[in-house]
Amino acid sequence: MTKDVIISIEGRQGFEGMDTDDIRLVTAGTLTERAGAIDLSYQESELTGMEGTTTVFQIQGPRVTLMRTGKVCSQMVFEQGRRHLSLYSTPYGNLQIGVSTSRLCSDLDAQGGRLEIDYAIEIDHALAGRNAFRISVREAQHGGLKQ
């Protein structure tokens, strides 16, 4: 089952030696429920700096996989208390990064809900930054982005 949803994202990125960057985004997307998993997808925009990229959060039990395809290609796996290696591909080259998830909380179902992820990113085994996503999802009303 696939339905149109409104996705509200609050993100925080903090990289070593740089100011923390906060982003707030409300966008249309889709939520697909299939065999015990939920896929949440949306198109990135100029605002995020990744225009031309599709982002999919695949929620399956205690594991969330973030996949980006298009202008930016990456796959990051989040599991609370675990570290996963990921490849991050940009127009400027590829990076292998480590993702260590300190907190993952999801109550997403076919009706919507919330997804929260706090994690650290390592480059060459050195801490590069700490990031967080706070995502809320609700069914879209006919006619677009109505409250």
Side-chain angles (χ1 to χ4, degrees), residues 24-112:
R24 289 181 175 78
L25 173 69
V26 177
T27 188
T30 59
L31 184 148
T32 303
E33 184 181 36
R34 57 171 180 72
I38 298 221
D39 288 355
L40 183 61
S41 65
Y42 63 94
Q43 297 296 313
E44 295 287 350
S45 68
E46 217 176 289
L47 178 66
T48 63
M50 291 185 283
E51 187 175 20
T53 300
T54 300
T55 295
V56 177
F57 284 92
Q58 185 178 70
I59 300 98
Q60 192 163 22
R63 176 186 283 216
V64 175
T65 304
L66 167 62
M67 296 169 282
R68 290 193 167 118
T69 56
K71 181 179 176 184
V72 173
C73 293
S74 68
Q75 178 173 310
M76 295 172 23
V77 178
F78 304 98
E79 280 187 277
Q80 187 166 315
R82 303 235 8 229
R83 179 178 177 262
H84 290 273
L85 294 177
S86 301
L87 184 64
Y88 197 87
S89 177
T90 72
Y92 310 105
N94 298 332
L95 296 171
Q96 184 170 1
I97 60 173
V99 176
S100 298
T101 305
S102 57
R103 181 173 181 273
L104 190 149
C105 181
S106 174
D107 67 1
L108 273 176
D109 62 21
Q111 314 316 309

Side-chain angles (χ1 to χ4, degrees), residues 12-17 98-100 118-123 126-132:
R12 170 166 283 183
Q13 294 182 324
F15 290 100
E16 290 294 315
V99 176
S100 298
D118 294 350
Y119 63 101
I121 290 183
E122 308 164 15
I123 299 174
L127 179 65
R130 297 192 183 279
N131 301 335

